[in-house]
Amino acid sequence: MNNKEIVAKELFEVVKDDLTLEQVQNLLENPKSADHGDVAFPAFSLAKVYRKAPQQIAAELATKINPEAFEKIEVVGPYLNFFMSKGAISQKVLHQIVKEQAAYGNATIGAGQTVPIDMSSPNIAKPISMGHLRSTVIGNSIGFIMEKIGYQPVRINHLGDWGTQFGKLIVAYKKWGSEAAVKAEPIKELLRLYVDFHEKAEKEPALEDEARAWFKKLEDGDAEATQLWQWFRDESLKEFNKIYGLLGVSFDSMNGEAFYNDKMAEVVTLLEEKHLLKEDQGAEIVDLSAYDLNPALIRKSDGATLYITRDLAAALYRKRTYDFAQALYVVGNEQTNHFKQLKAVLKEMGFDWAEDIHHIPFGLITKDGKKLSTRKGKIILLEEVLLEATALAKAQIAEKNPTLENQDQVAQEVGVGAVIFHDLKNDRLNNFDFDLEEVVRFEGETGPYVQYTHARAMSILAKADFTPDETADYTLADEESWEVIKLLQKYPETVLQAAEKFEPSVIAKHGIKLAQAFNKYYANVKILTDDAEKAARLALVHGVTVVLKEDLRLLGLQAPDKM
Ligand code: ARG
């Protein structure tokens, strides 16, 4: 039970005749300052019922509430301020963590239902961009968060392995490429060809026609085109997998756009049957003016299908395959309209589950305030960022803890963790400017700081040889520990909030706050002093290790025991 629930229960006992338990709960507030207690009840809403001034009501209620449940209850004007009984709560929370360990904060809301998460989804033959990094780490974290509340996540990499860009690439490769160059550095070379194509096509528009023709061949199953496509795809995936390996992310499905090639006819047939397709200058569209949206372009005049056609096929396939409770698409802000169109077309088709599709947008990563663009060759290479962050972590470890075992592994967990955490710590919709120096700062509100705090707490437990005990006295009633206990107690609620908003930053912020509170505690309290409360203090340290590790896990970070 959280504090609001405890207060609601006690308060309800004395206002039963006039308010429901739920009404009481909804009226309770979290005071801004600790001077006003842990939970506050404004008595205004009872003024009408009791026909008394709220101040008087507050004063009378205070005398009726079971005093044992609280340390004290203060009446301040129309407010009742509840101060929780610190000792009782610390005991309860610490016992619960000892009992449940990493399962602390788990919920069963999801009831085992599946949630496909469309995430990462980079485009073949292009470097995995910072935008795709965002999708990868946000999606991965949302997967863990949903799993924690009882859903079964299905991580799907909807690879951009189909589309007119392959026509362009084939043209560029045949004109200016070589097999050896692609083999040596696949993505770099394919990217060069792609950038070249766009530069040259600006002066020579006929190249665009050639590219279109090659893509048509590919769609028609031409052997040469298919073989080149497959080769570009294989080489690109090798490089993507290196990055996924570094990030520690894995997928349940790598079905990209091409997977739906043979599933598109059904979409078109269904649309035709429902009389939703309209001709527009030779192309076929679905009119969405009723939704205040631009028409969805389903098929071009040359018969080629489009991005949204494949997404329609993918949505149908996912509903059939996973019978999902919700389907999530972790894709940048700039595709908001696309997903609105997707949902609208599905609704028009009569699928009520269109409501369960959620686009989870996120903001842009910029460099020096400017947008990054593959076409102009303005990109940040993710693999380089991860390797550089790891190197910096290694240098720090060599300096601070030269005798540490597994230095390479820890350096990778910390370096990669820094990059992931930096991405997840702010509301996902915020844009941010990418600055490697800042990402790998190991102080302040960073992943390494949280990891380091976890390792420090682990070392205290090891030194004290602490054994958790569900029956020991873990009563802590002092102010210092209360700040930590409150954050531990809030954890289950925090997980629910993160899941409800699909917002990993809620978890990251909790991790930072808990790390800060614990470091303050550590600075002010002698944990290892032999006195009656030593076991309780160690249980608090233990609680911190469990919850910090779980915070990190939900974000996709490792929590090394030593660093
Ligand atoms: N490959 C696309 C891109 O890089 C993202 C795909 C997102 N997923 C989807 N089902 N549309 O922009």
Side-chain angles (χ1 to χ4, degrees):
M1 253 198 273
N2 64 38
N3 293 338
K4 271 194 182 170
E5 288 164 339
I6 297 172
V7 171
K9 184 172 154 265
E10 298 297 338
L11 192 54
F12 176 64
E13 289 302 319
V14 298
V15 296
K16 253 191 194 137
D17 299 334
D18 309 298
L19 295 177
T20 66
L21 179 61
E22 211 190 331
Q23 282 173 321
V24 176
Q25 273 238 37
N26 289 337
L27 286 169
L28 295 176
E29 295 173 2
N30 291 320
K32 293 244 153 54
S33 123
D35 299 344
H36 297 140
D38 302 298
V39 178
F41 177 74
F44 305 105
S45 53
L46 287 169
K48 270 209 185 115
V49 190
Y50 295 159
R51 294 167 190 260
K52 283 181 193 165
Q55 287 84 339
Q56 198 185 342
I57 298 170
E60 284 174 16
L61 287 177
T63 61
K64 292 186 194 154
I65 294 166
N66 169 18
E68 265 160 44
F70 305 100
E71 202 163 274
K72 63 178 174 183
I73 303 170
E74 268 179 14
V75 182
V76 180
Y79 280 92
L80 272 178
N81 293 336
F82 294 85
F83 293 76
M84 305 309 293
S85 162
K86 300 183 180 65
I89 287 178
S90 67
Q91 165 99 310
K92 222 177 84 195
V93 170
L94 295 176
H95 278 164
Q96 199 177 342
I97 298 177
V98 163
K99 188 165 150 222
E100 299 177 0
Q101 295 295 329
Y104 179 60
N106 283 12
T108 53
I109 298 168
Q113 300 174 93
T114 54
V115 176
I117 306 174
D118 188 307
M119 53 182 262
S120 197
S121 312
N123 300 317
I124 295 300
K126 292 191 205 166
I128 196 161
S129 71
M130 294 306 281
H132 297 119
L133 166 74
R134 298 215 71 191
S135 171
T136 310
V137 302
I138 294 170
N140 194 42
S141 172
I142 290 175
F144 289 125
I145 294 167
M146 295 305 276
E147 188 173 44
K148 190 152 179 83
I149 66 161
Y151 288 97
Q152 192 189 323
V154 183
R155 293 176 173 85
I156 302 175
N157 196 337
H158 188 78
L159 288 169
D161 57 2
W162 205 252
T164 48
Q165 72 268 28
F166 286 95
K168 297 174 185 173
L169 211 57
I170 292 174
V171 171
Y173 174 72
K174 287 173 75 79
K175 285 189 194 294
W176 317 296
S178 82
E179 190 177 335
V182 173
K183 278 205 166 134
E185 279 185 308
I187 303 255
K188 266 204 180 127
E189 175 65 5
L190 293 172
L191 176 66
R192 184 187 72 81
L193 290 172
Y194 189 74
V195 172
D196 262 18
F197 179 92
H198 280 279
E199 270 172 21
K200 295 199 167 116
E202 257 172 43
K203 287 176 219 122
E204 205 186 320
L207 284 171
E208 298 277 4
D209 296 327
E210 264 186 73
R212 260 191 291 278
W214 269 104
F215 179 56
K216 184 74 177 68
K217 276 190 176 185
L218 183 59
E219 284 212 303
D220 294 341
D222 172 85
E224 186 187 2
T226 306
Q227 186 239 323
L228 281 171
W229 169 81
Q230 185 70 51
W231 182 50
F232 295 154
R233 190 181 192 275
D234 291 347
E235 292 296 330
S236 303
L237 266 184
K238 272 187 215 158
E239 297 216 14
F240 294 166
N241 283 332
K242 271 195 241 163
I243 290 172
Y244 296 139
L246 285 173
L247 290 172
V249 174
S250 55
F251 297 91
D252 302 294
S253 161
M254 299 291 273
N255 289 342
E257 297 186 25
F259 177 77
Y260 300 100
N261 280 344
D262 64 355
K263 299 171 181 63
M264 230 90 81
E266 186 199 1
V267 173
V268 176
T269 309
L270 281 173
L271 288 167
E272 273 165 354
E273 276 172 16
K274 305 208 165 151
H275 307 293
L276 291 169
L277 280 187
K278 269 200 200 160
E279 227 205 83
D280 185 56
Q281 300 169 3
E284 284 163 297
I285 61 161
V286 175
D287 178 58
L288 296 175
S289 49
Y291 297 81
D292 223 359
L293 291 169
N294 288 331
L297 185 51
I298 301 295
R299 210 154 48 166
K300 290 204 258 187
S301 49
D302 63 4
T305 52
L306 287 113
Y307 186 49
I308 196 163
T309 327
R310 284 183 287 277
D311 258 329
L312 286 165
L316 291 176
Y317 177 82
R318 288 175 196 174
K319 184 64 193 173
R320 276 183 201 140
T321 310
Y322 305 113
D323 190 25
F324 55 72
Q326 303 171 49
L328 312 184
Y329 292 77
V330 186
V331 185
N333 228 342
E334 65 281 2
Q335 293 194 27
T336 297
N337 255 317
H338 167 74
F339 287 101
K340 281 192 183 155
Q341 289 180 317
L342 177 66
K343 280 179 81 157
V345 176
L346 289 167
K347 257 188 232 166
E348 286 294 286
M349 292 170 90
F351 298 121
D352 48 7
W353 49 262
E355 294 299 336
D356 305 323
I357 286 184
H358 303 295
H359 174 214
I360 315 230
F362 51 81
L364 218 57
I365 300 186
T366 53
K367 181 78 194 129
D368 307 323
K370 291 199 195 74
K371 206 180 152 177
L372 304 162
S373 150
T374 325
R375 283 197 191 182
K376 304 211 174 86
K378 194 172 163 60
I379 45 162
I380 299 169
L381 292 176
L382 185 51
E383 193 178 350
E384 283 169 18
V385 169
L386 293 174
L387 295 178
E388 198 158 331
T390 301
L392 283 166
K394 182 129 198 247
Q396 296 243 354
I397 292 168
E399 190 191 308
K400 289 191 178 147
N401 194 354
T403 58
L404 181 71
E405 292 164 35
N406 309 328
Q407 284 193 23
D408 286 332
Q409 193 190 331
V410 174
Q412 189 176 316
E413 293 176 356
V414 173
V416 172
V419 177
I420 298 176
F421 197 92
H422 179 265
D423 196 305
L424 296 180
K425 73 175 180 180
N426 293 311
D427 292 5
R428 62 178 150 73
L429 275 167
N430 288 359
N431 295 344
F432 65 84
D433 208 66
F434 189 83
D435 174 2
L436 187 64
E437 294 280 303
E438 175 180 332
V439 172
V440 297
R441 259 190 332 133
F442 288 177
E443 302 91 37
E445 302 186 347
T446 64
Y449 172 72
V450 179
Q451 287 173 317
Y452 181 69
T453 306
H454 168 266
R456 170 187 256 183
M458 287 301 284
S459 80
I460 299 172
L461 294 181
K463 208 176 190 178
D465 206 6
F466 173 71
T467 332
D469 179 352
E470 270 179 62
T471 59
D473 180 5
Y474 290 156
T475 310
L476 287 169
D478 60 294
E479 289 297 334
E480 276 85 10
S481 55
W482 186 230
E483 292 308 310
V484 179
I485 296 291
K486 273 193 289 188
L487 285 163
L488 295 177
Q489 183 196 17
K490 245 180 129 170
Y491 192 55
E493 234 179 289
T494 305
V495 172
L496 289 180
Q497 268 168 25
E500 211 163 278
K501 300 196 211 157
F502 304 116
E503 187 59 271
S505 68
V506 170
I507 299 292
K509 285 177 181 141
H510 180 269
I512 291 169
K513 275 199 203 136
L514 181 57
Q516 287 169 341
F518 176 72
N519 284 321
K520 201 166 157 202
Y521 180 79
Y522 180 78
N524 293 327
V525 175
K526 295 219 164 9
I527 297 171
L528 293 173
T529 303
D530 271 311
D531 63 16
E533 281 182 352
K534 181 177 173 192
R537 285 193 300 271
L538 286 170
L540 174 144
V541 179
H542 171 259
V544 168
T545 62
V546 170
V547 173
L548 281 184
K549 186 171 187 168
E550 196 56 7
D551 269 330
L552 290 167
R553 187 186 70 82
L554 293 184
L555 298 171
L557 271 77
Q558 303 294 320
D561 286 351
K562 292 182 188 159
M563 63 183 269

